[in-house]
Amino acid sequence: MPTYIALLNWTDQGIRAYKETPKRAEAFAAATQKVGAKLLNIHWTVGPYDVVAVVDAPDEETAAAALLQLGGAGNVRTTTMRAFGRDEMERIIAKTAG
């Protein structure tokens, strides 16, 4: 299943309610399952991003649905990237010439 890494920044609303972030993470995990994805990991970070989430989803549409729901709650803005595991990267390299 494809993996997606979402870099999250709190909105003004989200930072005002920072004490609720563990409960919001639980709600995000439940919402991802409802659309057919899975929240693998979530990390609260220091630096340019406030939170990093790792999500498995069967396709881009499902990943987008999960992250749209998250962003739609108004607590975070997301930047999402497709991530490749070692086996996937080896298959990609095998397709290159040389």
Side-chain angles (χ1 to χ4, degrees):
M1 190 172 316
T3 299
Y4 300 86
I5 297 175
L7 306 173
L8 313 176
N9 280 313
W10 283 328
T11 62
D12 289 341
Q13 172 184 308
I15 193 65
R16 279 193 304 272
Y18 69 90
K19 291 181 181 180
E20 297 173 8
T21 191
K23 288 183 182 178
R24 292 194 309 244
E26 289 175 18
F28 176 49
T32 59
Q33 286 186 333
K34 286 183 182 178
V35 297
K38 182 178 181 182
L39 177 62
L40 298 179
N41 256 310
I42 191 161
H43 300 280
W44 288 265
T45 57
V46 176
Y49 298 98
D50 300 311
V51 182
V52 176
V54 181
V55 176
D56 269 0
D59 51 51
E60 291 178 352
E61 291 87 359
T62 304
L67 292 161
L68 279 171
Q69 285 185 327
L70 175 64
N75 294 305
V76 294
R77 297 282 180 256
T78 65
T79 301
T80 306
M81 303 172 286
R82 169 66 163 90
F84 299 93
R86 182 186 179 105
D87 291 344
E88 291 170 306
M89 195 63 211
E90 287 177 349
R91 288 192 303 272
I92 291 166
I93 291 169
K95 293 180 180 190
T96 63

